[in-house]
Amino acid sequence: NIVDDVTGVFPEWNLIGNPYPSYINVNDFLTHEVSSSPVVTNLDLMDLNSRAIYGYDATSSGGYWTIYNLSTPINTLIAPGQGFFVSADDTKVALYDMEFTASMKRSGNSDDFIVGRQNNGHLGHIQLSISDVDSNYATDIYFNLNASAGLDPGYDAAMFGGVAPAFSVYSHLVEDNSGIPMAIQALGQSDLSYVTIPLGIHVSQGISLTVHLSQFDLPPTIDVYLEDNATNTFTLLNNNTYVFTPTETLNSTGRFFLRFEDRALNTADEDLSNITVYANNDTEKVVIRGHLDHGAYCNIYDIQGRVIISKHLDYKNLYNALDVSQLETGVYVVQLLTKNSSKVVKVVIK
């Protein structure tokens, strides 16, 4: 059985392993039912934000972890005797034990924790990497028929321990963002046409950094842009890299965003000059009035540049309002993004 013993640095994490002298199928292990009434799977026994297998891979490109869940290839195997970490949901593991069964066994000849095959519901995948002279680090974005812009347990996966290292790249959830750094983010089919993903890049001041796509498996009409708010630039990453040297240490989100756009849609340019953005302090809302393009998105930043609120806007409605009742009094920056335009407005919340 696995446990969450409450004490220790990472109390919810358990080291277990493939008990068989043969390979086992990852998908079969994750979806195996430990109870049929109610239905409870091995995946359900794991912490909500970390429903995945975390394998130590001895490289720093993903924080020393290769992560498998329902987003990764359906025929992925784990080698005989191979150990890995899983998290524990304390409310579930008190009632059920995690199980291995002979039906999970497969023949194979691959190495440990190597990704590269198709899975059910798979629509596309990229791996975004950062590198300097000595180090590299990567994060994964998947598009899957079973996923959404919010938290999809079993498809999204937080970084091990929920903490981003001093040199790292990660994403925040597009919707219902709770500030947890994600090692894997899965999105749905409609998001593939247009979505903006908040990125976190951690790097020390004065380090020359290169951002690029180390893996690209998307339809040919999809463009992937890196947006840098500090330099007000957009870089097409499909066949380019972005190189910059930060003048201060970066350790949060708010500066960088990853944008996916489908050229096949051929949406006309949009002028945001007629869009009104203001704070209504009587109703405790930030209001956006005017006609918006499909895929319009809003970010609200505090004065430290941290993303406080991220939300898709209803393009069918001329009136959109974001609840800011939980924000402290002060100055905030509202960034409005559409496929072809952006607008930045400062508001004062009282």
Side-chain angles (χ1 to χ4, degrees):
N1 65 316
I2 60 174
V3 298
D4 183 346
D5 66 6
V6 182
T7 61
V9 179
F10 300 117
E12 73 276 24
W13 291 97
N14 294 254
L15 178 62
I16 61 175
N18 175 8
Y20 299 112
S22 64
Y23 289 82
I24 61 170
N25 179 273
V26 169
N27 190 270
D28 286 357
F29 168 73
L30 294 174
T31 59
H32 169 72
E33 293 184 5
V34 299
S35 170
S36 58
S37 182
V39 174
V40 178
T41 67
N42 278 335
L43 201 66
D44 295 326
L45 304 185
M46 303 176 193
D47 180 77
L48 192 66
N49 293 297
S50 307
R51 289 186 174 173
I53 288 171
Y54 290 70
Y56 183 78
D57 63 13
T59 68
S60 62
S61 61
Y64 296 102
W65 302 103
T66 292
I67 303 173
Y68 292 154
N69 61 8
L70 299 181
S71 290
T72 47
I74 197 170
N75 55 344
T76 301
L77 303 177
I78 293 182
Q82 175 64 49
F84 53 87
F85 283 89
V86 294
S87 60
D89 181 328
D90 58 352
T91 63
K92 294 288 183 63
V93 297
L95 302 173
Y96 307 99
D97 291 336
M98 189 164 284
E99 296 179 351
F100 292 88
T101 67
S103 63
M104 302 173 189
K105 294 195 292 185
R106 298 288 188 278
S107 59
N109 55 14
S110 62
D111 200 354
D112 304 334
F113 301 113
I114 303 297
V115 178
R117 294 166 288 272
Q118 286 277 330
N119 65 302
N120 283 348
H122 175 81
L123 297 170
H125 164 245
I126 66 155
Q127 184 175 82
L128 180 74
S129 295
I130 61 172
S131 58
D132 61 15
V133 174
D134 301 314
S135 305
N136 62 85
Y137 205 101
T139 190
D140 290 283
I141 306 294
Y142 286 89
F143 293 89
N144 193 288
L145 290 172
N146 303 306
S148 70
L151 178 64
D152 303 293
Y155 291 88
D156 298 312
M159 302 181 84
F160 186 86
V163 178
F167 184 87
S168 60
V169 59
Y170 56 89
S171 69
H172 274 175
L173 293 177
V174 172
E175 294 182 358
D176 303 322
N177 175 22
S178 60
I180 296 174
M182 306 303 292
I184 293 177
Q185 181 166 177
L187 295 145
Q189 184 174 18
S190 61
D191 299 310
L192 188 57
S193 298
Y194 180 81
V195 70
T196 300
I197 302 173
L199 288 179
I201 293 180
H202 290 196
V203 64
S204 298
Q205 174 185 355
I207 300 296
S208 180
L209 197 70
T210 299
V211 184
H212 68 285
L213 295 179
S214 48
Q215 294 184 28
F216 185 91
D217 173 26
L218 294 176
T221 60
I222 303 299
D223 288 334
V224 182
Y225 291 91
L226 178 71
E227 177 186 356
D228 185 343
N229 278 334
T231 59
N232 196 29
T233 58
F234 293 82
T235 302
L236 180 62
L237 294 178
N238 296 47
N239 48 19
N240 296 289
T241 62
Y242 182 65
V243 181
F244 73 103
T245 303
T247 57
E248 60 182 0
T249 296
L250 304 181
N251 55 14
S252 64
T253 58
R255 174 171 174 174
F256 297 99
F257 295 85
L258 203 60
R259 299 181 64 177
F260 293 78
E261 298 184 0
D262 190 346
R263 294 190 306 275
L265 295 180
N266 292 322
T267 303
D269 289 349
E270 180 183 12
D271 182 6
L272 295 181
S273 60
N274 294 323
I275 302 295
T276 303
V277 180
Y278 61 93
N280 186 331
N281 289 303
D282 293 332
T283 61
E284 298 183 301
K285 296 183 184 299
V286 166
V287 176
I288 300 167
R289 288 186 177 274
H291 177 72
L292 297 169
D293 189 16
H294 174 70
Y297 195 82
C298 182
N299 295 312
I300 298 181
Y301 303 86
D302 64 14
I303 57 175
Q304 282 78 41
R306 296 173 297 189
V307 178
I308 305 301
I309 296 174
S310 295
K311 186 175 179 62
H312 282 292
L313 301 176
D314 182 3
Y315 72 99
K316 298 179 181 178
N317 198 332
L318 296 178
Y319 175 90
N320 282 266
L322 282 69
D323 182 10
V324 294
S325 60
Q326 302 302 313
L327 300 187
E328 297 180 357
T329 298
V331 177
Y332 293 83
V333 175
V334 179
Q335 180 192 43
L336 180 62
L337 294 167
T338 67
K339 180 179 179 181
N340 301 291
S341 303
S342 65
K343 182 172 185 173
V344 175
V345 178
K346 287 186 179 180
V347 298
V348 177
I349 296 177
K350 300 178 181 179

